[in-house]
Amino acid sequence: MAETVKLPIIDLSSPDRISTAKSIRQACVDYGFFYLVNHGVEGQLLSKVLEESKKFFSLPLNEKMKLSRKHHRGYSPLYAENLDPLSRSEGDSKESFYVGPVEGDMAQTNLNQWPSQEIFPSWRLTMESYHKKLMSVGKKLIYLIAMALNLDEDYFEKVGALDTPSGFLRLLHYPGELGCFNEQIYGASEHLDYGMITLLVSDGVPGLQVCREKFNQPRLWEDVPHINGAFIVNIGDMMERWTNCLFRSTLHRVMPVGQERYSLAFFLDPNPDCVVECLESCCSPSCPARFPPVRSGAYLEERFKLTYGE
């Protein structure tokens, strides 16, 4: 039985931004995860997105496969991914649907795939509205993260990270019944997120666990409780590289609990041409940069290849 972790709660509406930035710094150093409340995304919109997501996943498999994943957009069936490349499992017990950027470069927005408007008249509009809202929340958070790192609040804008950033919305469905297997089945096997930050919300069914000390063996896993209406935010590998491991990209997984589970993950990543290199405020002669500079798009592409075995 896993212990329960008590993550910090960050209020995005607080007028005291300096204090909020300090709290974010502490949360990212200690946990790499925190709750975000008063973020401005209406509960009604969250419910609508989850409802539309359930409608899509309830379609027959052959219908869903008509929108199978291309250019990281569209549908991935059960067991298509293995987030832990070292695992011998046949894949993760989840199905998902990706929506890429919905504003900006038409070459990017046109890559999105959408279910038939005749079957789901408000599906696309709902997902686009949610994507735009999350992009706005994510940018506000990145400004506070810059302050938390003793940088100008618009630092990530100045280095090009927020110049048409890459935002991906991922709808996730974990089935309740898994059948009989001879091996451990995960909803999402242990993994680190690849990008800057992730904002997650679920329907309240448990299953998410974190491991704060990823280099320790045996690993200690802790349950992350659901807080109604709050996002769970976590730091990705790219932000860990930027901060020279000051902010931690924390190992996490989803365990099956015998109930269906729906969640929405929004990944905010830098512009693909942005170069991610150690921040001046995070390195010194006694603590030199641990990672070489890397172009965001190339880094993410490499990580996706490992996940999908491409």
Side-chain angles (χ1 to χ4, degrees):
M1 190 77 175
E3 297 286 318
T4 298
V5 67
K6 195 168 182 187
L7 296 176
I9 297 174
I10 304 296
D11 182 348
L12 193 59
S13 69
S14 168
D16 188 350
R17 298 177 76 237
I18 292 171
S19 174
T20 302
K22 282 180 183 166
S23 300
I24 288 174
R25 182 184 178 95
Q26 200 62 52
C28 293
V29 167
D30 292 345
Y31 298 93
F33 268 78
F34 56 87
Y35 295 106
L36 188 70
V37 299
N38 297 324
H39 41 65
V41 181
E42 306 84 359
Q44 199 175 352
L45 178 58
L46 282 172
S47 300
K48 180 71 173 162
V49 179
L50 284 165
E51 184 190 319
E52 295 287 349
S53 172
K54 285 178 188 178
K55 284 183 192 172
F56 174 78
F57 288 124
S58 68
L59 288 173
L61 180 61
N62 65 323
E63 286 298 314
K64 292 184 281 195
M65 289 304 289
K66 289 176 183 175
L67 297 170
S68 66
R69 191 183 66 91
K70 296 181 191 76
H71 308 292
H72 310 310
R73 279 92 163 159
Y75 176 69
S76 279
L78 285 171
Y79 313 117
E81 297 177 1
N82 191 343
L83 289 170
D84 178 7
L86 301 177
S87 161
R88 291 194 295 273
S89 110
E90 65 169 284
D92 292 343
S93 175
K94 67 174 183 298
E95 52 180 345
S96 61
F97 192 97
Y98 280 102
V99 178
V102 299
E103 294 180 291
D105 183 355
M106 291 292 283
Q108 289 296 313
T109 59
N110 288 342
L111 292 173
N112 280 319
Q113 304 191 66
W114 305 106
S116 159
Q117 208 162 349
E118 289 171 20
I119 308 172
F120 300 133
S122 57
W123 206 92
R124 176 174 179 170
L125 194 61
T126 302
M127 298 306 161
E128 287 181 333
S129 298
Y130 185 70
H131 193 293
K132 289 172 189 173
K133 273 274 187 190
L134 268 286
M135 184 60 85
S136 169
V137 171
K139 283 181 177 178
K140 283 181 191 168
L141 206 42
I142 292 296
Y143 274 74
L144 285 163
I145 285 172
M147 290 170 66
L149 291 162
N150 304 319
L151 301 165
D152 292 340
E153 63 175 277
D154 61 350
Y155 175 84
F156 289 105
E157 198 153 15
K158 288 191 288 199
V159 296
L162 298 182
D163 177 17
T164 326
S166 178
F168 276 80
L169 169 61
R170 190 173 189 199
L171 316 176
L172 291 146
H173 172 226
Y174 302 87
E177 296 303 316
L178 297 173
C180 294
F181 289 89
N182 296 325
E183 59 191 30
Q184 174 71 64
I185 292 291
Y186 297 98
S189 46
E190 59 183 62
H191 64 285
L192 304 162
D193 287 355
Y194 314 147
M196 289 173 83
I197 55 170
T198 305
L199 296 97
L200 178 79
V201 71
S202 79
D203 60 357
V205 174
L208 178 64
Q209 295 184 329
V210 297
C211 171
R212 283 187 264 169
E213 301 300 337
K214 59 191 170 195
F215 300 115
N216 286 4
Q217 291 290 350
R219 292 203 164 122
L220 173 67
W221 291 96
E222 298 171 289
D223 289 323
V224 179
H226 175 76
I227 294 182
N228 213 24
F231 285 113
I232 295 170
V233 178
N234 66 283
I235 294 299
D237 286 353
M238 218 171 272
M239 188 60 79
E240 185 178 72
R241 288 177 78 102
W242 247 318
T243 65
N244 213 24
C245 297
L246 174 69
F247 285 7
R248 59 171 76 190
S249 175
T250 299
L251 205 57
H252 53 289
R253 67 185 185 185
V254 176
M255 297 299 287
V257 291
Q259 281 176 274
E260 269 189 301
R261 181 177 190 268
Y262 292 88
S263 64
L264 314 167
F266 185 81
F267 303 94
L268 179 57
D269 301 327
N271 178 297
D273 291 323
C274 177
V275 174
V276 177
E277 56 188 323
C278 184
L279 300 167
E280 280 184 26
S281 64
C282 297
C283 58
S284 64
S286 61
C287 184
R290 300 185 190 197
F291 308 102
V294 67
R295 198 175 64 82
S296 166
Y299 177 78
L300 289 172
E301 203 59 47
E302 195 54 42
R303 297 296 297 271
F304 274 125
K305 280 180 186 170
L306 287 171
T307 300
Y308 290 96
E310 293 168 346

